[in-house]
Amino acid sequence: MKKIMLIFGTRPEAIKMCPLVKELKSRKGVDTCVCVTGQHREMLKQVLDAFSVEPDYNLNVMHEQQTLFDVTERVLDGMQSVLKSVNPDVALVHGDTTTTFASALACFYMGIPVGHVEAGLRTYNVHSPYPEEFNRQAVSSIADYNFAPTALARDNLIREGKKPESIFVTGNTAIDALGTTVVQDFQHPDLTWAQGSRLVILTAHRRESWGEPLRNIFKAIRRVVDEFPDVKVLYPIHLNPLIRQAADEVLAGCDRIRLTEPMDVITFHNFLARSYLILTDSGGIQEEAPSLGKPVLVLRDITERPEGVEAGTLKVIGTQENVIYHEFKTLLTDEKLYDSMSRAQNPYGDGLASKRIADILIKGNTRL
Ligand code: UD1
Ligand code: UDP
């Protein structure tokens, strides 16, 4: 029987790997094993609980304000013994985190084939996003299966000289997840609070924005909210204390800005679906918003998700205070722009990515 191990450790990897775990576990003739690194703790548990996924192994590596060194070392070391005892036929990693990189490296050292889910995303700037662009490029150099979410991602890999027979365009499993989370009859106290206002969802956590850029983002948002009495901002803050501290400094004390704990994925997706617009530096949200028809101002200098920009839903606006202030204000006042950005477009898949990946791995189906 073919043994497939899925390895992940942070919230976004979990959201996009759990649909694949479910799919593989539903298939006959395959032994599916889940190893989480625990790079995230509470934020990972929220996702595992939402999808009712019980990991077989948990390396439990997270500690407060961990460094890239801490996570890399602990994942590499922990994966060695798990891989030795399971010895899977293939190990699947996702995306571009330190968990992704270090666990793929552990597989490479042990001669275990690697399947890379969400392969081929690129900015070609190793400093942005940092260190994710390096991680994804490094994993591509050792992956045996490359599950590219879009044709554009496949083209990047082809240009880099990856073997075409190792690349499969599957769609993004984020869309699979979205298909199960958004419901009609969603209720929440924060939704009651937002009633009658234009609800803006904010998330910001990127490493390259820690410090001044993050404060610039918050200052700009605060200025706009002060000028628009019909706007309310809901910000579920990442558990990193650095982020919470900056958010408290600039955003606290305004009754139309609500700072909350991270939301479980079902709650969060339902808020996205009911929002007026989204401000974010997240990768995953850039994939989710286009299919929900929600305009996104991307709080970064560059994106590896140009399909959403092309579709008209995403606009990359950087981290400078005055630019964010101007762009946010324009989107609130320019109806034509708002309408054109909120047309639902979904360049990221049809919700069947997990099925395709499972077919390829189990049946050895080499082309779609
Ligand atoms: C990581 C990924 C990033 C991804 C993000 C998703 C790397 C280098 N970065 O960044 O690519 O976009 O996850 O959110 O892999 N913390 C908790 N509880 C949690 C999670 C985090 O307390 O459940 C706190 C801890 O103090 C931890 C800190 O957040 O040390 C940072 O977590 P870490 O995974 O190192 O970095 P992220 O910024 O979350
Ligand atoms: N998300 C969530 N709860 C929140 C904020 C985000 O479930 O409070 C989801 C979001 O829908 C997306 C993923 O988490 O699927 C994005 O995670 P994050 O922004 O932490 O990481 P990135 O995508 O930037 O790597």
Side-chain angles (χ1 to χ4, degrees), residues 28-316:
K28 292 200 180 78
V30 59
D31 180 4
T32 304
C33 164
V34 175
C35 175
V36 297
T37 64
Q39 175 176 340
H40 283 175
R41 189 181 296 142
E42 301 84 354
M43 286 160 60
L44 174 67
K45 187 172 180 321
Q46 281 184 319
V47 184
L48 294 171
D49 289 349
F51 286 93
S52 306
V53 167
E54 186 79 49
D56 301 283
Y57 297 89
N58 188 341
L59 305 182
N60 235 327
V61 305
M62 198 205 96
H63 59 77
E64 277 278 296
Q65 299 202 28
Q66 59 204 2
T67 65
L68 295 175
F69 289 90
D70 298 330
V71 183
T72 307
E73 268 170 31
R74 296 173 70 154
V75 170
L76 195 55
D77 192 44
M79 281 315 303
Q80 186 179 13
S81 51
V82 173
L83 290 171
K84 236 182 219 161
S85 80
V86 179
N87 193 25
D89 295 295
V90 58
L92 302 179
V93 298
H94 182 278
D96 54 22
T97 69
T98 298
T99 284
T100 318
F101 165 64
S103 51
L105 184 61
C107 293
F108 177 63
Y109 286 166
M110 299 197 57
I112 292 168
V114 171
H116 189 195
V117 182
E118 199 178 278
L121 275 64
R122 296 288 185 269
T123 61
Y124 293 109
N125 176 349
V126 283
H127 299 290
S128 184
Y130 172 87
E132 291 84 359
E133 178 66 14
F134 163 78
N135 289 340
R136 51 171 92 108
Q137 290 195 26
V139 174
S140 292
S141 69
I142 54 175
D144 301 271
Y145 296 87
N146 296 281
F147 300 110
T150 64
L152 217 127
R154 176 201 54 210
D155 294 347
N156 289 337
L157 294 166
I158 298 275
R159 254 199 323 273
E160 291 168 22
K162 292 294 290 179
K163 287 191 199 123
E165 60 274 23
S166 75
I167 307 169
F168 308 90
V169 180
T170 59
N172 197 308
T173 55
I175 307 302
D176 305 14
L178 210 50
T180 65
T181 50
V182 178
V183 292
Q184 287 296 322
D185 58 344
F186 174 72
Q187 302 284 334
H188 194 282
D190 290 337
L191 203 57
T192 314
W193 166 76
Q195 237 161 29
S197 301
R198 290 190 281 180
L199 176 63
V200 174
I201 305 288
L202 166 65
T203 82
H205 71 84
R206 296 237 82 79
R207 188 168 287 264
E208 66 273 15
S209 295
W210 292 358
E212 217 35 48
L214 204 56
R215 251 184 293 277
N216 291 341
I217 291 170
F218 296 154
K219 279 192 219 152
I221 292 168
R222 178 81 195 235
R223 279 169 63 195
V224 174
V225 173
D226 285 344
E227 285 180 35
F228 287 80
D230 68 327
V231 167
K232 286 187 176 159
V233 174
L234 184 64
Y235 179 13
I237 309 179
H238 187 292
L239 286 178
N240 186 339
L242 288 177
I243 314 281
R244 162 76 60 177
Q245 198 186 328
D248 280 344
E249 270 169 32
V250 187
L251 297 176
C254 171
D255 59 4
R256 282 182 291 105
I257 300 179
R258 194 163 268 196
L259 309 180
T260 71
E261 295 302 309
M263 290 175 165
D264 72 80
V265 60
I266 296 172
T267 304
F268 187 72
H269 282 178
N270 279 287
F271 268 102
L272 285 186
R274 287 157 181 83
S275 67
Y276 185 73
L277 66 89
I278 300 162
L279 303 171
T280 191
D281 65 5
S282 159
I285 296 170
Q286 292 180 62
E287 291 150 354
E288 293 160 353
S291 61
L292 295 169
K294 300 298 173 183
V296 180
L297 297 177
V298 181
L299 306 166
R300 298 199 203 175
D301 295 327
I302 192 165
T303 183
E304 59 292 273
R305 283 146 171 115
E307 300 90 344
V309 177
E310 181 99 337
T313 314
L314 312 181
K315 189 164 186 197
V316 179

